[in-house]
Amino acid sequence: MKKIILAFSLLFALTLFNSCNELYPDSELLLGAWSSYECFKQGGQPFSYTLERYLFTPDGYVAFYDRSVFQFKLPYGYNATTGILAILDGTDEEGNKLTIEYPAVIEYVEAVKSNVLTITYNDGYTIRYRKR
């Protein structure tokens, strides 16, 4: 009986682990370095913007650089269906990790064909990145 309970417990744990890995099934689409090349305010004309870079790594972390200076590295997940980039950022009072939606809406635009990533921020700015 103990072996059966242990087997079911292991199966449950494995299923739970695999389901957690599938929370952001499209994260691998972002892998690599993305350098900004264009910025515009809603309704405005695009202008050159080359100060920011995101580096998405296979281990589930994103590093953000501004003016070639490292700013942060945090775990991330991306879901192309919802267009949400979620970043684990901080803990609550009990020490539990909090999942925070980045203050932006990610629009993944023909990534494989044109290598363009568009990020629209809450303040009305949109920045386009090219894969490097």
Side-chain angles (χ1 to χ4, degrees), residues 4-64:
I4 293 173
I5 292 173
L6 179 61
F8 278 120
S9 298
L10 288 173
L11 182 61
F12 177 75
L14 184 59
T15 303
L16 183 61
F17 177 75
N18 286 337
S19 66
C20 288
N21 286 341
E22 295 301 315
L23 288 176
Y24 300 103
D26 307 308
S27 293
E28 66 277 2
L29 295 174
L30 296 176
L31 292 180
W34 296 87
S35 299
S36 60
Y37 72 94
E38 184 177 76
C39 179
F40 56 93
K41 186 84 170 170
Q42 187 173 7
Q45 293 295 316
F47 56 90
S48 177
Y49 194 87
T50 58
L51 303 177
E52 295 182 359
R53 183 165 57 97
Y54 287 94
L55 177 61
F56 293 88
T57 59
D59 62 355
Y61 283 86
V62 56
F64 174 74

Side-chain angles (χ1 to χ4, degrees), residues 72 74-75 86-92 96-100 102:
F72 64 76
L74 295 168
I87 296 178
L88 290 177
D89 186 7
T91 57
D92 61 15
N96 299 312
K97 287 271 186 191
L98 296 175
T99 300
I100 298 188
Y102 199 68

Side-chain angles (χ1 to χ4, degrees), residues 48-116:
S48 177
Y49 194 87
T50 58
L51 303 177
E52 295 182 359
R53 183 165 57 97
Y54 287 94
L55 177 61
F56 293 88
T57 59
D59 62 355
Y61 283 86
V62 56
F64 174 74
Y65 295 82
D66 189 6
R67 301 176 193 263
S68 297
V69 177
F70 174 79
Q71 301 295 321
F72 64 76
K73 181 181 177 185
L74 295 168
Y76 76 95
Y78 173 65
N79 187 326
T81 303
T82 61
I84 292 175
L85 174 67
I87 296 178
L88 290 177
D89 186 7
T91 57
D92 61 15
E93 289 92 358
E94 288 85 36
N96 299 312
K97 287 271 186 191
L98 296 175
T99 300
I100 298 188
E101 292 178 7
Y102 199 68
V105 175
I106 305 292
E107 298 172 14
Y108 206 78
V109 184
E110 297 287 334
V112 175
K113 295 178 183 173
S114 64
N115 289 328
V116 173

